[in-house]
Amino acid sequence: MSKFLRGRTGATGPPGPVGADAPREHPARLADPAPFAEDVREERRLRPHSLDEFVGQLQVREQMSIFLAAARQRGEAMDHVLFHGPPGLGKTTLAGIVAHELDVEITHTSGPVIQFPGDLAGLLTKLGPRGILFVDEIHRLSPVVEEYLYSALEDYTLDIMLDRGANARSMKLTLDPFTLIGATTRAGLLSAPMRARFGVTLRMDFYSAEDLLKIVKRSAGIMGTQVDDDAAFEIARRSRGTPRVANRLLRRVRDFALIKADGAVTMRVTREALRLLEVDERGLDEMDRRMLDALIQRYDGGPVGLQSLAVVLGEDTGTLEDVYEPFLVQEGFIRRTARGREATRLAYEHLGLALPARLRGEVGADAPPKEPEQPELPLS
């Protein structure tokens, strides 16, 4: 695949970290929901600024509209909010919308960046009245910083230790009421005391193709790109239910159309571009197909443990579980069982492979013969 279509310049992985939106280190994939540096730049102008402009996540929007209206009516800081779900679904966007709707300041950071209690104190003391501190990947906060955060969330106070040993003393800082908005892709890694501090917990789910169609058309209008309706839907249905992936595919198809088709994004141009980008009709890319192929060819379709798959694919288990697996499970290509991962009938059919006996309902040759059923005796 050409470097032009990938949008890279000779890199073998995503660009380096960019602030709080730093992507994980794993091979570059066009369908990767983790942000690239290009995404961070482009998303600033594509993100909606109000709840009315936000597309999809109906339950989340309805709840947020009520909580925002109540906070405005009370004139108080909103309760602490936790957004969790797969990457690329709009958690950061919603945090910005909350700040815009409440007309307050927002400070962006991420869990690994806050290494010491002093870092946390600096962020919290700089917040304005009813301000918002947005912490991405909040499950990666250090335990020490998390302990200091508890009193800030409950009482809006912060106890800072000055000096050490015999000269140690504490200083209590009083904070303005603020709202902590946490975002995480792995809610299960949050400690129970931290989860209990959030008054509002909302899960983000994958988007429907219809919602992604609206996002693609809106983004195309902002970018000044002419996209046919059927071409926009083709991009939407191959976007793995993720707006970030939809916008990324739109930019790559736009580039292809600019060079090959005078800038008009038609269905023919879109299909040709996505073929070169190796994104198939179900939104699977090369890495997804490799995972399914390894599960079927190496382990006879499973069940197999995630660690074994990670060794075959050359990835760590966290990346497989957080990045590759959710969409494959959501779409029904992989089944998670107590014994491990199993390939489903859909995975075999998608790869054009013959179904095994367990999926055809056949009985193995070495299985014991089935005993004849005892006929039912008539009632006397």
Side-chain angles (χ1 to χ4, degrees), residues 288 291-309 324-349 351 353 355-360:
D288 296 313
M291 187 170 178
L292 294 178
D293 187 70
L295 180 58
I296 293 172
Q297 303 288 6
R298 297 290 187 95
Y299 299 104
D300 298 324
V304 61
L306 195 62
Q307 183 66 49
S308 300
L309 273 178
Y324 305 143
E325 191 179 62
F327 179 74
L328 295 176
V329 173
Q330 179 88 6
E331 292 297 300
F333 291 99
I334 291 178
R335 182 184 300 112
R336 299 174 66 171
T337 70
R339 295 187 299 164
R341 274 62 176 174
E342 291 182 353
T344 64
R345 174 189 294 267
L346 182 61
Y348 284 87
E349 293 174 348
L351 297 180
L353 302 175
L355 292 175
R358 66 179 177 86
L359 293 179
R360 294 198 306 268

Side-chain angles (χ1 to χ4, degrees), residues 69-267:
R72 283 194 298 264
Q73 186 170 336
R74 295 194 312 267
E76 301 174 356
M78 187 175 174
D79 286 343
H80 306 301
V81 183
L82 176 65
F83 295 120
H84 63 98
L89 300 185
K91 295 185 288 293
T92 303
T93 299
L94 274 175
I97 287 175
V98 170
H100 181 268
E101 295 280 356
L102 296 178
D103 194 21
V104 296
E105 297 178 3
I106 182 171
T107 299
H108 292 260
T109 186
S110 65
V113 171
I114 310 175
Q115 299 182 5
F116 306 104
D119 301 334
L120 178 64
L123 291 170
L124 293 178
T125 53
K126 291 179 182 177
L127 289 177
R130 298 182 292 114
I132 293 174
L133 176 63
F134 174 71
V135 181
D136 198 10
E137 297 302 310
I138 195 170
H139 66 271
R140 297 177 64 186
L141 278 175
S142 71
V144 175
V145 172
E146 191 173 304
E147 289 287 344
Y148 273 88
L149 188 56
Y150 292 158
S151 62
L153 296 177
E154 292 179 343
D155 307 322
Y156 303 117
T157 60
L158 200 60
D159 291 321
I160 300 295
M161 292 300 298
L162 302 177
D163 214 336
R164 292 182 180 276
N167 297 323
R169 63 188 188 279
S170 66
M171 180 177 66
K172 185 181 292 288
L173 298 177
T174 302
L175 305 171
D176 289 325
F178 72 96
T179 299
L180 174 68
I181 298 182
T184 178
T185 56
R186 306 187 69 179
L189 295 184
L190 276 175
S191 65
M194 175 58 80
R195 286 198 303 270
R197 262 71 178 186
F198 289 101
V200 179
T201 301
L202 300 171
R203 172 171 176 77
M204 310 285 288
D205 291 317
F206 289 109
Y207 288 63
S208 66
E210 290 72 20
D211 287 337
L212 287 175
L213 172 62
K214 298 176 184 176
I215 292 173
V216 168
K217 296 179 72 171
R218 177 182 178 275
S219 298
I222 294 174
M223 293 189 295
T225 301
Q226 179 184 350
V227 181
D228 293 348
D229 289 343
D230 54 352
F233 185 76
E234 187 72 9
I235 294 172
R237 75 183 186 92
R238 299 196 193 194
S239 298
R240 307 168 64 90
T242 307
R244 178 175 289 144
V245 176
N247 286 328
R248 189 183 299 152
L249 290 180
L250 174 62
R251 293 197 301 271
R252 296 286 72 81
V253 173
R254 175 201 60 183
D255 293 344
F256 182 88
L258 185 64
I259 301 302
K260 299 290 186 178
D262 299 327
V265 179
T266 62
M267 177 63 100

